[in-house]
Amino acid sequence: TNTELMRRARAGHTEPTLLVAEQQTAGRGRLGRHWASAPGSSLTFSLGLLLQPRAWDGLSLVVGLSVASSLHADIQLKWPNDLWVDGCKLAGILIETAAVAGHAGPRYAVIGIGINIAPRPAEGLSTPPAHLQALLPHTSAAQALESVAAPLLRDVLQFEQSGFAPFAAHFAARDALQGREVLLSDGMQGTAQGVDGRGALRVQTPQGLQHVSSSEVSVRPLPV
C-alpha cells in the first residue's frame, strides 16, 4: 500500500488517501523487513497526504501512540515504530516521504501500518507475535480500522502544527523501553531513558547520555 500511494504521488495524485489491503504478499517493514498478511488475520493500510511540519522527528512515535490509544490501554510502544503487548510485537509502522513536483514546501508522506488481528505463525521470529484479539476477542480488521483511522488523521495533523512535544507525556506513559537495558544495531549499549522533546531515544551509556534518532539504528531490549 505504501508503494502504490508513492506511485500515485509521482503521477501527481497527492490528495489525502487511505488505502487498505485485505491481503499483502509484498508488504515491507522498516529496514526492508518482509511483512505478509492474510485476509482477516491482519489489518494493513497506508495513509497518504501532503505534510509540512516544522520538523519530521517524532512522527512515527505519534503514529504509534495514536493507534495504541485508539485500541487498548495495555498496548505499549517500542521506540521508534512498533506496538507491543507483553514484550511481543502487535503492530509495525513504516513512514516514507517524497518531494512532490509543484509543491515547494510540503512533502507527500505515506504512513503504513500493519496490525496483527488474529494469531499468526511465529516461524522465523525470535518471539511469537502478539495479536489484537487476545486483548479484544472477536475484533475484526474492519472494526480496528474504524477505531484508528479518524484519530490517526487528527493526530498527524496536530503533529504537523505542533510537533512531537505535545505528545511526549502520553508516549512516556506507554514507553516499553523506559529503564530497560538496550542494545543498538551500531553496538551501543546502555539504559533507555525515554525520549526527548523531538522524539529521539535517550540512552545512558558509560560515555554519557546519548540521543539517538530513528533514522540511524534499530534497538532491542536485553533480557531482564
Side-chain angles (χ1 to χ4, degrees), residues 21-23 37-43 115-119 133 139-142:
E22 289 190 352
Q23 179 177 9
S37 63
S41 68
S42 302
L43 169 61
I115 305 171
N116 298 323
I117 302 298
Q133 289 177 351
T139 295
S140 68

Side-chain angles (χ1 to χ4, degrees), residues 36-43 89-90 115-123 125 128-139:
S37 63
S41 68
S42 302
L43 169 61
K89 184 173 178 176
L90 172 71
I115 305 171
N116 298 323
I117 302 298
R120 58 181 294 170
E123 287 85 3
L125 301 175
H131 60 282
L132 188 59
Q133 289 177 351
L135 299 174
L136 299 169
H138 311 300
T139 295

